[in-house]
Amino acid sequence: MAEPTTVSSTSPALDVKTPEQPAGINKLAGPATWVDDRLPLASMFKYKNKANFYVKKVFPDHWSFLLGEIALYSFIILLLTGIFLTIWFKPSMAEIEYEGSYQLMRGLPMSEAFASTLALSFDIRGGLLVRQIHHWAAMLFVASATIHMLRVFFTGAFRKPRELNWLIGVGMFSMSLIEGFAGYSLPDDLLSGTGLRFVDGLIRSIPLIGTWAEFFIFGGEFPGDLVIARLYMVHILLVPALLLGLVVAHLALVIYHKHTHYPGPGRTDRNVVGYPFFPIYVAKAGGFFFIVFGVSILMGATMSINPVWKFGPYNPAQVTAGSQPDWYMGWVEGAIRIMPNWEWHLAGTTWSWNVVLPGMGLMGLLFGVLGAYPFIEAWITGDKNEHHVLDRPRNVPNRTGLGVAGMTMYSMFWLAGGNDILATQFKLSLNQVTEFMRIAVFVAPVIAFLITKRICLSLQRADAERVLHGSESGVIERAPDGSYSEAHVPITNDEAFTLTQHEQYPALQAGPSLDANGVRNKGKGVSALRARASRWYFGQEITKPTAAEIEQAKHHADEDESTKALGH
Amino acid sequence: MSVETSKDVERFPIPNPGLEEHVERFTDVDKAAGDRAYHQIVMMLASVPVLAIAFVVVYFAVPKETYLSVFADRYNAQNLLLGLTGGLAVLLIGVAVIHWARTLMSDEEMVEDRHFAASPDADREEIAADLAWGIEQTGIARRGMIGKALAGALGVLALPALVPLADLGPWPTAELRKETIEKTIWAPGMRLVNDVTYQPLKASDLEVGQLVNAQPEKLHDLHGTAFQVEKSKSSIIIVRMDPNTIKIPESRKDWHVGGILCYSKICTHVGCPISLWEQQTHHLLCPCHQSTFDLGNSGLVVFGPAARALPQLAITTDAEGYLIAKGPFTVPVGPSYFERDSSLDFKEGDQ
């Protein structure tokens, strides 16, 4: 027989228990506690001197720091709009007869890729808008990344400890060109097919392996039926995944190294001055994402881009005059156009230097030089310090000169990519434009370097002048003897500090070629070449005023004042 | 705040004055200005739902094929209105939030110390010791073959990983090249037909100075990929020039029909279809990279990046007077590739 259950008077089941109430006053405290019980977010984000990321982490403020942000946000916009496009786009080169709503092409044979691009443009509501946002965001992405790199270059932000992040940036930059090219090849319209035809010629021209590379990439002869599906994989999976990984690494390093800041009062290599991540940058950077997105949408709404229905489906026997790639490939296009027609015909083989040098060679050269630059500069300067205060470009005349020379060379190649447009628009001879550009790509950078360096040195002199003698007041005084002079007013201490904050290095000296025992000093010390490079790099800089000089100038000015006051 | 070292003193002729004085904003000192900013922010955020609803209305209510004329240009109404409503809504959120941050949130600058990127020496030594301990634990120092064998095993794995990629495409061996990039469907007796209509062309239809884009007659039978591949190679241009104004070398004196010459349309540079014809100079210009060929002189390059003459197709007429090919191209058409034997191309001075 079962016994009746007995309940002990001390059983905990009898206790009345209310769940613990969160102690916080905040409404979010409940959920936050729930999360923190499982993930120790509070410990991760609390302020600790050595923590890498916390709620109040300080970021400096400057408009030029927004350039990289634009690139980041465009990338996010590209991911979002890209997902929408993949829902309808068909990456197939199979031939079908068009039966969509664009009357002018009904009944035409075309690839499924092109037909589905037309469907996105005409049949799916909002499809054209998203297509255009996607293309404009791609333009913004490459443009802002390019300008961001220029900012980093000219301010010396690539110096120690940020060389790795510069290399990641160069990697992302090169990948974004591949990504862009793969993207505009997908619609399989006349223009993108022409671009692919060009790339086919480019790949073929590689010595030794060109034909094999062509057959492997296109799955046989051009155009074949595979390349769009393969480029689709590259465009939506391979490169975006790599880019995303590099973006994360890039940002993680920015957080770890803390952002650089411009020179100014209170700013040093040992601190960072700015505003806290929360709430200021959550609002500013978050708000800026919406601004970039909003502007991209407005561009997609009002500015037509890549109207493939005007070009028609790809036809290997047609091309439009004025065919050009998207702007960021323009420099390669220009190099291809102005290259002399050098080709070797040796023992039954063909070496197409006219295609492979300007195509593959130039791209390799740009990315190689960009990647190597921080290390070359460190080798020349012998500088092993960490740098967190940015350079004002004028204070590094040779770097600034080299940067402007590089930009000029890029621009000349880029302009050469539109040699036909230049010729028709300005009523010039196409042949003369081409010949001119062949010379300009080499001469213009030299001129740009010399001019830039002189401007930098002049600006340095002006800075020194300003520190020593103050700012021109605009007041012309007439002395009793009839002479005129302009009075100078002293600049603020803050400004004087900003103008004299940059470091000036001595040029490296070559070490002795023989050591104390008369043995050749190979591989040790500074080589003669390195010393020469260093002398060239630092040789002509304007020495910034010393404390004694400033003191003396101040004294001098005071004397002037007192003599005036005495009426002498 | 930062610690000034002796190096800093040497570096800075002017001592670091510390952060500049904080200047209060208009919205900090004037309550009315602060309230105005507050109202602006709320108004901007309040218009976002209105625009979002407008977006949905446009999506369902505006027909796809309505066009608006704005500044003398035609805009698709749905695209324009969806973009304007959606774009403004998104933009306003951003503007409102940044306005908030700039006018109402604190703008006192803060200073944070930096740390060196490098780990302290003690940390490095500790890690080095841990790693050394771990290596010791593996016993690899005594039994070194394990490490070598593992490295070798992993290295050899590259083979099975990479070899399957050998099927990315067919291998362009000499035989395959002869059947693909070195071959077109041109054959003796094949008619030359108009590029668009596929009508066969009669010699008598062409005037002096005329250029016709043409194809082999058999191209019409091909479809899909085969069609595109063939069209990328077989496309031709036919020009009629006055035989007295052009140079016809001895070896090619039977290749033309009364001044009607036929060339490959595919540029020898990177393969664009060439089409810009200068009737008086007999020059043909590629619109892609401006290589210029002299069709009155066996297609030799006169300007631009192309290095080889345009391949010429020998033609004649059939019994009915239609233009036909005498045979295939004598050299591969299109852009260069490494294995191409370019010694047979027509060169300056050839007869």
Side-chain angles (χ1 to χ4, degrees):
Chain A
M1 289 272 288
E3 285 181 38
T5 319
T6 55
V7 176
S8 150
S9 60
T10 57
S11 163
L14 284 182
D15 286 350
V16 179
K17 196 176 164 190
T18 49
E20 270 179 59
Q21 291 298 319
I25 35 163
N26 201 313
K27 271 182 281 182
L28 289 173
T33 309
W34 189 93
V35 173
D36 195 72
D37 285 346
R38 288 147 185 90
L39 279 174
L41 294 178
S43 303
M44 280 161 69
F45 295 139
K46 81 170 179 185
Y47 179 84
K48 275 189 296 181
N49 196 28
K50 287 208 145 187
N52 290 318
F53 189 81
Y54 35 85
V55 165
K56 283 169 74 182
K57 188 178 178 72
V58 168
F59 284 91
D61 218 32
H62 193 268
W63 66 264
S64 69
F65 301 159
L66 298 181
L67 297 165
E69 270 187 63
I70 299 178
L72 172 67
Y73 300 149
S74 318
F75 183 66
I76 297 171
I77 296 165
L78 285 166
L79 292 180
L80 294 174
T81 49
I83 291 168
F84 183 91
L85 295 175
T86 57
I87 296 172
W88 287 279
F89 178 72
K90 295 175 190 157
S92 157
M93 293 170 89
E95 187 183 277
I96 57 162
E97 200 170 292
Y98 180 65
E99 280 165 356
S101 60
Y102 187 60
Q103 293 294 332
L104 295 177
M105 282 187 206
R106 291 194 76 142
L108 274 188
M110 59 178 67
S111 67
E112 279 202 90
F114 187 66
S116 61
T117 309
L118 291 180
L120 265 164
S121 305
F122 293 105
D123 299 306
I124 289 134
R125 287 179 280 190
L128 178 62
L129 181 65
V130 177
R131 252 197 72 214
Q132 298 197 138
I133 297 171
H134 193 76
H135 207 134
W136 277 121
M139 303 275 123
L140 276 182
F141 176 68
V142 186
S144 54
T146 308
I147 304 173
H148 170 64
M149 282 188 88
L150 290 174
R151 194 281 292 172
V152 169
F153 180 84
F154 284 115
T155 58
F158 56 79
R159 291 172 299 169
K160 190 182 171 188
R162 296 185 177 76
E163 301 97 326
L164 289 176
N165 227 9
W166 168 261
L167 289 179
I168 291 176
V170 173
M172 288 196 287
F173 182 57
S174 56
M175 262 186 251
S176 66
L177 300 189
I178 298 170
E179 180 67 356
F181 174 78
Y184 76 66
S185 295
L186 293 181
D188 203 19
D189 58 292
L190 185 57
L191 195 57
S192 77
T194 305
L196 264 181
R197 173 88 243 206
F198 161 75
V199 166
D200 170 64
L202 186 64
I203 294 168
R204 253 190 192 203
S205 72
I206 303 170
L208 305 171
I209 60 153
T211 320
W212 287 75
E214 179 197 20
F215 271 60
F216 274 27
I217 289 170
F218 287 85
E221 270 186 289
F222 175 87
D225 57 2
L226 276 174
V227 73
I228 290 207
R230 287 178 177 179
L231 285 174
Y232 186 64
M233 179 279 288
V234 168
H235 184 73
I236 74 158
L237 175 72
L238 186 63
V239 180
L242 292 172
L243 273 174
L244 191 61
L246 289 180
V247 164
V248 171
H250 203 64
L251 293 177
L253 277 175
V254 168
I255 288 168
Y256 178 72
H257 288 139
K258 298 185 175 26
H259 208 288
T260 51
H261 50 189
Y262 280 95
R267 281 111 173 122
T268 72
D269 276 332
R270 306 292 305 126
N271 70 4
V272 52
V273 178
Y275 302 103
F277 175 75
F278 182 80
I280 304 297
Y281 279 103
V282 171
K284 279 190 174 178
F288 194 47
F289 167 72
F290 284 92
I291 288 187
V292 175
F293 202 172
V295 169
S296 309
I297 298 173
L298 292 177
M299 288 170 92
T302 56
M303 294 147 78
S304 175
I305 188 164
N306 203 16
V308 289
W309 55 91
K310 287 185 184 165
F311 312 144
Y314 179 54
N315 177 343
Q318 288 178 354
V319 64
T320 48
S323 285
Q324 279 166 337
D326 271 354
W327 67 267
Y328 46 83
M329 294 304 280
W331 58 289
V332 180
E333 171 83 3
I336 296 268
R337 288 183 183 202
I338 63 175
M339 182 72 190
N341 60 348
W342 299 339
E343 198 170 75
W344 288 352
H345 302 145
L346 296 175
T349 59
T350 301
W351 303 66
S352 288
W353 302 118
N354 54 341
V355 183
V356 77
L357 279 187
M360 298 289 175
L362 194 66
M363 274 197 274
L365 184 73
L366 177 75
F367 298 127
V369 168
L370 283 178
Y373 188 80
F375 305 99
I376 295 172
E377 193 186 284
W379 179 76
I380 292 176
T381 60
D383 177 14
K384 292 194 170 65
N385 294 323
E386 282 197 8
H387 293 279
H388 302 288
V389 176
L390 294 170
D391 282 325
R392 297 166 78 223
R394 68 183 62 177
N395 290 332
V396 200
N398 283 306
R399 181 205 294 149
T400 307
L402 287 173
V404 174
M407 287 170 72
T408 308
M409 189 182 246
Y410 182 99
S411 308
M412 291 297 132
F413 277 123
W414 191 81
L415 284 173
N419 60 354
D420 51 341
I421 310 285
L422 289 175
T424 55
Q425 291 299 308
F426 295 104
K427 312 255 180 286
L428 297 166
S429 146
L430 171 69
N431 303 22
Q432 280 182 340
V433 171
T434 307
E435 295 284 4
F436 176 82
M437 284 301 178
R438 283 176 179 171
I439 299 164
V441 289
F442 295 109
V443 174
V446 176
I447 297 171
F449 174 82
L450 293 174
I451 293 175
T452 309
K453 186 168 170 181
R454 291 297 132 192
I455 291 174
C456 287
L457 293 173
S458 298
L459 287 170
Q460 280 192 34
R461 276 192 204 97
D463 281 350
E465 191 73 2
R466 215 173 145 75
V467 170
L468 290 173
H469 304 300
S471 165
E472 291 163 355
S473 64
V475 177
I476 308 292
E477 288 175 350
R478 187 180 170 200
D481 62 5
S483 66
Y484 291 92
S485 61
E486 187 180 4
H488 282 61
V489 284
I491 54 171
T492 62
N493 212 27
D494 283 0
E495 188 187 349
F497 175 73
T498 310
L499 296 182
T500 54
Q501 199 184 351
H502 57 288
E503 196 136 14
Q504 288 191 319
Y505 299 89
L508 296 177
Q509 298 288 325
S513 56
L514 300 179
D515 69 10
N517 300 324
V519 180
R520 276 197 67 195
N521 212 350
K522 217 177 166 200
K524 277 178 267 174
V526 176
S527 69
L529 172 70
R530 191 172 172 198
R532 275 183 65 172
S534 193
R535 262 205 313 283
W536 166 77
Y537 197 80
F538 292 124
Q540 285 163 310
E541 253 171 76
I542 310 299
T543 319
K544 67 179 182 180
T546 61
E549 282 170 349
I550 295 168
E551 195 50 46
Q552 203 189 352
K554 212 181 264 175
H555 196 63
H556 186 68
D558 288 347
E559 259 178 17
D560 274 2
E561 283 301 313
S562 53
T563 35
K564 263 181 214 154
L566 286 169
H568 287 295
Chain B
M1 275 293 288
S2 64
V3 183
E4 291 215 351
T5 62
S6 59
K7 196 160 170 289
D8 286 342
V9 176
E10 196 182 302
R11 176 175 161 189
F12 306 139
I14 310 270
N16 187 350
L19 281 198
E20 60 266 62
E21 210 180 318
H22 178 247
V23 181
E24 287 194 312
R25 293 163 299 187
F26 197 34
T27 45
D28 293 328
V29 289
D30 183 349
K31 187 173 179 302
D35 287 345
R36 203 154 53 238
Y38 172 54
H39 291 139
Q40 285 161 351
I41 294 161
V42 173
M43 282 313 295
M44 280 191 262
L45 291 175
S47 43
V48 173
V50 178
L51 287 163
I53 291 165
F55 179 95
V56 177
V57 171
V58 170
Y59 186 91
F60 288 108
V62 176
K64 271 187 307 203
E65 283 169 33
T66 332
Y67 286 86
L68 293 174
S69 180
V70 187
F71 300 126
D73 210 348
R74 242 163 59 101
Y75 279 88
N76 178 293
Q78 197 187 57
N79 183 63
L80 182 68
L81 293 174
L82 283 178
L84 286 180
T85 51
L88 278 176
V90 174
L91 186 67
L92 278 175
I93 293 180
V95 174
V97 172
I98 288 184
H99 195 42
W100 177 20
R102 289 179 59 88
T103 55
L104 299 181
M105 291 185 191
S106 161
D107 74 334
E108 294 265 8
E109 280 189 313
M110 293 166 65
V111 181
E112 194 178 290
D113 284 344
R114 288 183 191 272
H115 52 83
F116 281 113
S119 327
D121 285 346
D123 290 5
R124 287 183 179 180
E125 278 158 25
E126 193 179 325
I127 285 289
D130 286 356
L131 291 175
W133 174 83
I135 292 167
E136 174 63 30
Q137 290 297 304
T138 61
I140 201 166
R142 273 167 290 125
R143 303 195 170 96
M145 273 314 282
I146 297 181
K148 286 172 197 149
L150 180 62
L154 288 173
V156 170
L157 269 190
L159 266 179
L162 291 176
V163 163
L165 295 178
D167 268 350
L168 270 172
W171 294 11
T173 53
E175 296 106 89
L176 186 70
R177 289 199 306 273
K178 274 197 197 89
E179 292 307 306
T180 53
I181 52 178
E182 289 167 6
K183 187 183 170 189
T184 64
I185 48 172
W186 286 107
M190 189 174 299
R191 280 180 175 171
L192 283 57
V193 297
N194 182 291
D195 175 61
V196 179
T197 61
Y198 290 95
Q199 291 300 311
L201 297 159
K202 266 192 175 151
S204 55
D205 294 342
L206 283 119
E207 303 284 334
V208 169
Q210 192 179 351
L211 177 144
V212 175
N213 293 304
Q215 297 292 347
E217 190 177 25
K218 280 269 158 51
L219 184 72
H220 204 35
D221 303 337
L222 300 175
H223 291 282
T225 308
F227 175 85
Q228 294 286 70
V229 167
E230 201 47 54
K231 204 173 184 184
S232 305
K233 295 185 292 186
S234 297
S235 296
I236 50 163
I237 35 168
I238 309 167
V239 280
R240 181 162 205 164
M241 295 170 282
D242 178 350
N244 299 318
T245 62
I246 61 174
K247 277 196 216 166
I248 294 173
E250 190 55 30
S251 60
R252 295 185 169 189
K253 67 180 193 324
D254 300 330
W255 286 28
H256 69 107
V257 179
I260 300 176
L261 279 75
C262 175
Y263 291 96
S264 164
K265 197 184 175 178
I266 309 302
C267 188
T268 59
H269 178 222
V270 286
C272 281
I274 316 178
S275 41
L276 302 175
W277 169 231
E278 255 181 23
Q279 202 193 61
Q280 296 305 314
T281 59
H282 304 149
H283 288 175
L284 190 70
L285 181 93
C286 177
C288 289
H289 307 101
Q290 293 81 42
S291 294
T292 312
F293 302 86
D294 188 352
L295 301 192
N297 190 10
S298 302
L300 285 172
V301 178
V302 289
F303 186 76
R308 290 181 288 99
L310 273 183
Q312 189 179 344
L313 185 72
I315 54 170
T316 182
T317 47
D318 64 10
E320 296 167 66
Y322 289 111
L323 294 171
I324 55 166
K326 286 178 92 172
F329 279 104
T330 53
V331 292
V333 299
S336 300
Y337 53 93
F338 181 70
E339 298 89 343
R340 190 181 193 280
D341 181 359
S342 300
S343 59
L344 296 172
D345 288 286
F346 193 84
K347 281 177 284 297
E348 188 83 59
D350 282 0
Q351 278 307 314

